[in-house]
Amino acid sequence: GTAQKIVSKTAKIKELLDEIYNIRHENREIKGDVRVFIAMGYASYMIPQDLSALFDLFPDLRILSHSSLDTSDINVRDIDVALTYQEVNDYDIVKIAEKEVHCGFFASSKYLSEHGYPENIEDMIKNHRFVTKHGSLLKQAFGEERFKQARINFISNNPLAMINAIENNVGIGIMPLSFALKGLVCLDNIICNTPIRY
């Protein structure tokens, strides 16, 4: 009985090791240049986290990227992959994957020390100012009525400018939860059920 169980477990471990070896072997075969169009919002929100893991898997891969604020800049002859959260109306482009990125409300520690830490969403809307990239995410998170009551002091079509504004104490904004790793404070007592879809 015990010997048979050990043999069975050993066989499973060997299968797993073979599978890992095969994955590593396959990864060595994936190499070369990939031309990528990256929407500016994707570049600032996603690329730093995702690229490191990608290059760990595929060390001989090289990404040649072009960023733009506008998907109308996409030229299908010049790219292999497009990463964007905007709709693309080009029949030559096929969506192959979608990712949902969970978000939270963020502020700088200096902003919170000067203006207080909001107790709830009502307190936040009544007593704080906001930074947003366009109005869509904030409007989705608040709903139409609350959005009208919110004091939005900075709006930009450039996500890098929005991030910079939050870092420099302008107000509270919605960003992916990974931004907690970049020194910003996530208001984790106020849940944001508004994901970004890429």
Side-chain angles (χ1 to χ4, degrees), residues 75-161:
N75 183 337
V76 293
R77 290 186 303 275
D78 297 335
I79 65 163
D80 301 306
V81 179
L83 306 176
T84 180
Y85 53 88
Q86 299 168 310
E87 289 297 323
V88 179
N89 298 317
D90 189 318
Y91 295 109
D92 291 330
I93 294 178
V94 177
K95 180 164 47 171
I96 57 172
E98 186 175 82
K99 181 173 184 175
E100 193 172 88
V101 180
H102 294 282
C103 298
F105 292 100
F106 282 85
S108 70
S109 55
K110 185 176 180 186
Y111 173 87
L112 293 172
S113 68
E114 291 174 358
H115 300 275
Y117 197 105
E119 293 179 17
N120 52 44
I121 198 162
E122 284 75 21
D123 177 24
M124 185 169 66
I125 290 169
K126 184 178 177 186
N127 299 308
H128 291 270
R129 38 181 210 240
F130 294 92
V131 169
T132 185
K133 181 183 174 294
H134 302 300
S136 59
L137 276 180
L138 211 54
K139 189 181 280 189
Q140 287 174 43
F142 287 162
E144 192 71 39
E145 279 308 306
R146 282 177 169 163
F147 180 74
K148 287 178 187 172
Q149 297 166 16
R151 187 165 31 123
I152 301 167
N153 289 91
F154 185 84
I155 302 170
S156 177
N157 69 338
N158 185 335
L160 298 175

Side-chain angles (χ1 to χ4, degrees), residues 9-121:
K9 296 287 184 194
T10 305
K12 286 179 182 172
I13 291 169
K14 185 182 179 311
E15 284 174 25
L16 181 60
L17 290 173
D18 288 345
E19 191 176 328
I20 290 169
Y21 175 80
N22 288 335
I23 289 169
R24 286 183 178 166
H25 182 72
E26 287 166 14
N27 289 350
R28 283 200 298 271
E29 301 300 316
I30 297 174
K31 56 188 171 185
D33 294 347
V34 180
R35 301 165 307 162
V36 183
F37 171 91
I38 307 174
M40 200 68 84
Y42 193 103
S44 59
Y45 289 154
M46 300 290 295
I47 291 303
Q49 299 90 287
D50 288 358
L51 275 189
S52 177
L54 183 69
F55 291 137
D56 286 344
L57 283 173
F58 309 112
D60 296 321
L61 194 64
R62 187 169 73 155
I63 290 180
L64 310 174
S65 73
H66 165 72
S67 295
S68 175
L69 288 170
D70 192 348
T71 54
S72 64
D73 290 345
I74 294 176
N75 183 337
V76 293
R77 290 186 303 275
D78 297 335
I79 65 163
D80 301 306
V81 179
L83 306 176
T84 180
Y85 53 88
Q86 299 168 310
E87 289 297 323
V88 179
N89 298 317
D90 189 318
Y91 295 109
D92 291 330
I93 294 178
V94 177
K95 180 164 47 171
I96 57 172
E98 186 175 82
K99 181 173 184 175
E100 193 172 88
V101 180
H102 294 282
C103 298
F105 292 100
F106 282 85
S108 70
S109 55
K110 185 176 180 186
Y111 173 87
L112 293 172
S113 68
E114 291 174 358
H115 300 275
Y117 197 105
E119 293 179 17
N120 52 44
I121 198 162

